[in-house]
Amino acid sequence: MTTEADLLNKRAQDNLNLFIFKFKRATRIFVELWLGLKNDTIPHEKCGGWLFIVGVTVYTHLDYKLFKLLKKEHLYPENHPYIYWSNVFVIALLGYLGWAAFRVQARRMYFDQLTKIFSDLGLVTVTKRLPAFVSDREIDAHYHVMTLFKNGLSVKDFLLVKDKLSEALHCFIEEIREARKEGLIEILYSRKDFDKIVDLDSPNSFPNYSFTIGNTRLGKQVKNLSDVPHFLIAGTSNQGKSTFLRQFITTLYLNNMSMNFTLIDLKSGLESICFRDLPRVDCVTEANKAIKALEKLEGLIKTRAQILLANNCEKIEEFFKIPVDQRKYPNNMLDKNLTRHLIVIDEAAELFLAGQHLSSDSAVKSRRIVQTIAAQGRAVGLHIVVSTQRPDYKIVDMAIKTNLQGRICFYMADNASSMTILDSGRASDLPNLPGRAIWKNGNEIFEIQAPMLSKDAANQVLDNLRVKKAEEAKQIIAPNVTEANEEVDLEKDA
Ligand SMILES: Nc1ncnc2c1ncn2[C@@H]1O[C@H](COP(=O)(O)OP(=O)(O)OP(=O)(O)O)[C@@H](O)[C@H]1O
Ligand SMILES: [Mg+2]
């Protein structure tokens, strides 16, 4: 039962709320002014210009002349300095106050607009509550973060209307996520669109095992094999996995003259055509040959580890720093060719699943070897990249996921597939555009437009190297020397 005291309390509470509301409304201009000063967003040239005009007017008594001209001298508060100077003070600040009032109005209109957008998009709880605007913060040249009170809604509710929300807000929403503070949601957005095509225009310009994964809104993103030694590429058909591999292999091939490559392409053999007949490249298009090649590479882990041990090194980078004539090799070791080696598997299902090409024993074996190389290869300079169309746990099992830390995930048809590769549903939110992908490495996760290198363009830069194949045997290259030099350069760059 409601007592009289309860009613009085409620009334007092209502009055207090009303007072707070009115107080906030009355002081909003000053809050805006304070925010403008704090964030340095006030246009001082314009507001200060008005201040200057008022100053000059007062100094030259132009104000008095104006009163006189209008025959209102009797109103001029000449003999009331208190009134006079407080008037001057307020008029002088009108530039700043006007700017703040304009901001308050713009903000109010923005709130109204947001409220309308949220209710039009059905972002309303059963109790008819809408998300409430908290702040909008610029985080760099291209990105803003809008923070909202969820008011009972979930990230999923927002994701369901992401495209419409982007359209209504005239921006490109990159991510919608829970904020660290409970009850808040963050919308990461940009007004700049992604480039639809990013050509790999100068594949020769990526020294020391660096390569590009594509462009974000901020520009080209360059990574290095030393930081991301192995990675997994996934995505539905025709999204750009093989194209990514083509530009990636071409870049590494052209810039690292001692690096070796084993390209396993069992699907059709067509994707690796560009790299056939090149020195330092082994293109494998048959299953039994692929297993043999992988066995040989697995063997390299042991022999290379012995060389590192003999030289008291933990990883290949330390070995490359030792002068060539001071390097030690265990007795009877014939293969002294310690260089970085990239193994690429385009369409892992062909190698990891039993079927047309492989018996189940061979499939198990190939998967086991890939897992071993991914787990132990980094220290000895073996790098592995696996591409898959199917986000199947038989291909992307825990061992593969744990060791292939770099991930490039093109568009995925559903949230679960994206989760398998990225532990995030972001690849299913991507626009269905070839080359558009999510890059993930540890905590780093962002959208990219992968570089485009057509087969013709790749052939153009690789063709004149192909003719040298015949001369390869005759070539007297000291790979260790070259590799050492490349590694020393890498150190300098770092
Ligand atoms: N980065 C890119 N930018 C623009 N277009 C691209 C890009 N990557 C791929 N494409 C376009 O998409 C087509 C398919 O690319 P690609 O063969 O690499 O896909 P895929 O994922 O390997 O397909 P599949 O799973 O069938 O092997 C290409 O022929 C090209 O026209
Ligand atoms: Mg492909």
Side-chain angles (χ1 to χ4, degrees):
M1 212 175 78
T2 320
T3 64
E4 197 178 335
D6 287 340
L7 277 173
L8 281 173
N9 272 344
K10 191 169 177 312
R11 194 167 299 159
Q13 188 62 45
D14 287 348
N15 284 340
L16 182 67
N17 286 345
L18 190 67
F19 173 76
I20 293 172
F21 176 74
K22 285 190 171 171
F23 180 77
K24 275 189 178 169
R25 204 158 67 173
T27 54
R28 211 164 276 166
I29 285 188
F30 299 103
V31 172
E32 201 62 58
L33 211 52
W34 161 245
L35 287 176
L37 283 171
K38 199 173 117 204
N39 302 330
D40 201 17
T41 49
I42 295 183
H44 286 291
E45 354 36 87
K46 286 185 191 149
C47 303
W50 175 253
L51 189 71
F52 178 75
I53 291 168
V54 174
V56 171
T57 309
V58 170
Y59 186 73
T60 56
H61 292 289
L62 210 70
D63 51 342
Y64 179 71
K65 286 173 194 153
L66 200 67
F67 271 76
K68 211 171 161 189
L69 195 77
L70 297 170
K71 299 198 172 35
K72 300 276 184 211
E73 309 89 296
H74 58 283
L75 292 179
Y76 191 72
E78 201 175 13
N79 301 322
H80 305 279
Y82 177 72
I83 298 177
Y84 177 77
W85 285 111
S86 48
N87 280 347
V88 169
F89 180 71
V90 172
I91 292 168
L93 284 183
L94 270 186
Y96 286 95
L97 292 173
W99 174 84
F102 179 75
R103 293 275 303 185
V104 168
Q105 187 56 21
R107 204 178 275 269
R108 198 168 291 153
M109 281 164 68
Y110 186 54
F111 287 175
D112 292 347
Q113 197 189 355
L114 273 183
T115 310
K116 186 169 178 322
I117 289 171
F118 291 151
S119 82
D120 285 354
L121 294 181
L123 283 169
V124 190
T125 61
V126 275
T127 53
K128 299 270 177 274
R129 292 174 79 196
L130 289 160
F133 179 85
V134 176
S135 65
D136 190 300
R137 186 164 51 86
E138 188 178 288
I139 51 170
D140 57 42
H142 294 304
Y143 284 99
H144 279 242
V145 172
M146 185 194 288
T147 308
L148 303 169
F149 272 122
K150 289 192 289 183
N151 269 346
L153 291 157
S154 67
V155 171
K156 218 169 156 193
D157 295 323
F158 283 85
L159 285 175
L160 284 174
V161 294
K162 185 180 160 200
D163 290 345
K164 288 182 183 158
L165 195 57
S166 294
E167 213 173 290
L169 295 172
H170 304 291
C171 68
F172 301 94
I173 295 180
E174 173 109 0
E175 194 183 355
I176 300 179
R177 61 193 180 210
E178 299 274 355
R180 278 205 201 116
K181 209 167 162 194
E182 215 182 319
L184 298 182
I185 212 162
E186 286 180 345
I187 300 179
L188 180 66
Y189 72 92
S190 174
R191 302 243 182 253
K192 186 178 184 290
D193 196 5
F194 257 92
D195 295 325
K196 297 262 183 322
I197 300 238
V198 173
D199 284 317
L200 181 77
D201 36 20
S202 45
N204 277 305
S205 60
F206 295 90
N208 303 320
Y209 310 102
S210 62
F211 54 91
T212 170
I213 52 167
N215 281 28
T216 63
R217 291 190 169 92
L218 299 179
K220 191 186 281 175
Q221 299 294 313
V222 177
K223 301 284 167 193
N224 197 292
L225 222 45
S226 313
D227 306 323
V228 200
H230 316 294
F231 49 94
L232 175 66
I233 301 176
T236 49
S237 183
N238 266 327
Q239 292 299 315
K241 300 180 292 297
S242 301
T243 306
F244 181 88
L245 286 174
R246 189 185 307 130
Q247 65 81 27
F248 172 69
I249 298 164
T250 306
T251 303
L252 287 170
Y253 185 81
L254 292 176
N255 294 283
N256 305 287
M257 298 314 289
S258 63
M259 194 167 178
N260 289 304
F261 297 79
T262 299
L263 312 179
I264 301 176
D265 174 16
L266 303 186
K267 196 171 158 194
S268 60
L270 294 173
E271 298 300 347
S272 57
I273 280 182
C274 295
F275 305 102
R276 283 201 196 148
D277 300 331
L278 284 171
R280 301 184 278 123
V281 180
D282 184 13
C283 291
V284 187
T285 53
E286 288 166 37
N288 55 345
K289 288 190 181 159
I291 306 235
K292 278 195 192 123
L294 284 173
E295 278 175 331
K296 203 170 151 200
L297 289 162
E298 189 187 21
L300 278 185
I301 298 179
K302 210 168 159 196
T303 49
R304 287 182 168 206
Q306 284 170 359
I307 300 178
L308 293 188
L309 199 65
N311 289 276
N312 221 2
C313 299
E314 275 182 24
K315 40 190 185 181
I316 200 163
E317 288 86 350
E318 292 172 18
F319 177 80
F320 289 137
K321 284 183 205 154
I322 303 174
V324 178
D325 56 350
Q326 288 174 29
R327 291 175 186 177
K328 297 177 204 130
Y329 294 91
N331 289 342
N332 307 325
M333 189 157 284
L334 296 174
D335 185 8
K336 297 178 179 177
N337 190 0
L338 212 69
T339 61
R340 284 191 194 268
H341 195 124
L342 178 72
I343 304 144
V344 175
I345 301 167
D346 194 356
E347 206 32 78
E350 305 293 326
L351 190 69
F352 290 174
L353 302 181
Q356 198 188 346
H357 302 298
L358 287 177
S359 67
S360 58
D361 278 357
S362 304
V364 169
K365 191 181 204 174
S366 58
R367 201 162 57 227
R368 184 195 56 74
I369 298 176
V370 169
Q371 286 167 358
T372 309
I373 295 175
Q376 301 170 24
R378 179 186 191 149
V380 295
L382 297 184
H383 301 276
I384 193 152
V385 176
V386 175
S387 137
T388 179
Q389 211 180 77
R390 294 165 51 174
D392 192 316
Y393 73 95
K394 285 187 191 148
I395 299 164
V396 187
D397 58 16
M398 265 331 269
I400 291 279
K401 269 184 88 167
T402 312
N403 293 305
L404 271 55
Q405 279 292 309
R407 315 261 166 86
I408 295 170
C409 191
F410 292 86
Y411 173 74
M412 282 293 191
D414 54 65
N415 194 60
S417 308
S418 172
M419 287 296 288
T420 310
I421 306 297
L422 296 171
D423 301 315
S424 147
R426 283 188 66 181
S428 60
D429 294 331
L430 284 173
N432 196 342
L433 277 175
R436 189 62 62 84
I438 300 289
W439 161 262
K440 181 174 187 221
N441 183 32
N443 290 332
E444 185 180 67
I445 179 162
F446 51 77
E447 193 173 330
I448 48 165
Q449 178 64 34
M452 175 70 188
L453 182 71
S454 66
K455 284 181 187 163
D456 286 350
N459 280 329
Q460 216 173 345
V461 286
L462 294 169
D463 270 350
N464 63 336
L465 299 165
R466 242 183 276 283
V467 289
K468 291 180 189 163
K469 174 89 177 178
E471 296 159 25
E472 184 187 3
K474 293 183 222 152
Q475 260 180 0
I476 309 158
I477 304 176
N480 289 339
V481 177
T482 325
E483 181 88 29
N485 291 342
E486 283 170 7
E487 294 286 339
V488 168
D489 286 346
L490 186 62
E491 288 282 305
K492 273 192 231 152
D493 284 357

